[in-house]
């Protein structure tokens, strides 16, 4: 992240300088997404899923998500362009970029039927993005760090600053709950696949196309996220334990064995990293 404005400037100028950055638009996008999820939850618990406010909140949430990830992708592309570097692996390398994947899924959800569960992974990420930006940019802008004079310090010593209790509390929260929250995101993304599968089984309109797209997304997340891998391993272990009981019919064991074999075959044949590395190696060889 870019550093906050200089504390020597007046507050109004500091706020104006902060608001003019692309990063601030990214922050506002995440904040808007959280507000929309909060607003949609009221419609959800009162069973007004398709009211005007519910639809507006749902769609705006994914517009905000697309904007935030679009900004990240744009900044990364601009940074590579300035450095004069060229992307390795072409379209496959682009597809393997996590931010591109979430940008694509935000657009998919924006134009798909409502799946409220789809908002929650974006919401969890936004909580930590908002918290981090608040700690590193917003708080220092509103309350510039105050330099403290250390007793006996030499004139050329590095200046020290008084800690900010709010910033320290936010930093502690992020550090303490980040791993657990990423595990929660992985669980939500897996549950969402099951929810779409149910829609496909009953032939809900567009569900088969949606499950194909989301399966590709979840496969990419599995390749990149140790949290997703860990949740799949836990799920497999639990089903193994259930199916392994003596009371389980042999047919159930055979079906589960076939599902596991098919899943492993799918994993091996859709290893994007293998093809990206192969393409890069072939380009270097030529």
């Amino acid at each position: 992240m870019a550093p906050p404005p200089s504390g020597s400037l007046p507050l109004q100028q500091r706020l104006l300088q902060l608001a003019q950055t692309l990063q601030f638009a990214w922050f506002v996008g995440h904040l808007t997404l959280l507000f929309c999820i909060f607003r949609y939850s009221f419609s959800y618990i009162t069973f007004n899923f398709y009211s005007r406010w519910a639809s507006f909140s749902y769609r705006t949430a994914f517009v905000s998500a697309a904007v935030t990830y679009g900004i990240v992708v744009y900044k990364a592309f601009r940074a590579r362009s300035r450095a004069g570097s060229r992307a390795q692996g072409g379209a496959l390398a682009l597809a393997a970029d996590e931010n591109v994947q979430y940008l694509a899924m935000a657009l998919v959800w924006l134009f798909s039927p409502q799946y409220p569960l789809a908002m929650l992974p974006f919401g969890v990420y936004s909580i930590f993005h908002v918290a981090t930006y608040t700690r590193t940019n917003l708080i220092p802008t509103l309350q510039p760090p105050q330099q403290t004079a250390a007793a006996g310090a030499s004139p050329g010593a590095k200046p020290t600053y008084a800690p900010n209790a709010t910033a320290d509390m936010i930093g502690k929260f992020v550090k303490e709950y980040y791993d657990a929250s990423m595990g929660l995101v992985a669980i939500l993304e897996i549950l969402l696949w099951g929810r779409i599968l149910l829609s496909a089984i009953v032939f809900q309109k567009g569900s088969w196309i949606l499950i194909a797209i989301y399966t590709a997304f979840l496969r990419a997340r599995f390749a990149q996220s140790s949290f997703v891998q860990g949740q799949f391993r836990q799920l497999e272990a639990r089903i193994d334990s259930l199916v392994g009981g003596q009371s389980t019919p042999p047919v159930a064991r055979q079906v589960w064995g076939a599902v596991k074999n098919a899943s492993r075959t799918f994993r091996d044949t859709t290893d994007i990293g293998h093809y990206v590395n192969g393409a890069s190696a072939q380009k270097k060889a030529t």
Side-chain angles (χ1 to χ4, degrees), residues 196-238:
I196 302 171
L197 178 62
L198 292 177
S199 298
I201 291 174
V202 299
F203 292 96
Q204 182 175 330
K205 183 178 179 180
S207 57
W208 282 102
I209 297 175
L210 184 57
I211 197 171
I213 296 172
Y214 190 74
T215 298
F217 168 79
L218 191 58
R219 173 62 184 89
R221 297 299 303 129
F222 179 86
Q224 296 171 326
S225 172
S226 60
F227 297 102
V228 176
Q229 295 173 16
Q231 293 302 326
F232 268 112
R233 283 194 295 266
Q234 291 185 27
L235 179 62
E236 181 181 356
R238 290 174 183 174

Side-chain angles (χ1 to χ4, degrees), residues 156-203:
K158 187 176 180 180
T160 58
Y161 296 92
N164 184 289
T166 304
D168 291 345
M169 182 179 63
I170 294 175
K172 183 179 179 181
F173 167 81
V174 171
K175 183 177 181 180
E176 185 173 353
Y177 292 103
Y178 180 80
D179 286 350
S181 298
M182 294 305 100
L184 174 61
V185 168
I187 293 173
L188 292 172
E189 290 177 340
I190 295 171
L191 289 176
L192 182 55
W193 185 88
R195 171 65 181 86
I196 302 171
L197 178 62
L198 292 177
S199 298
I201 291 174
V202 299
F203 292 96

Side-chain angles (χ1 to χ4, degrees), residues 238-263:
R238 290 174 183 174
I239 299 178
D240 283 340
S241 178
L242 292 173
V243 174
Q246 294 182 354
S247 60
T248 303
V251 175
R253 296 194 187 95
Q254 293 175 1
V255 171
W256 173 234
V259 170
K260 288 202 296 185
N261 289 334
S263 300

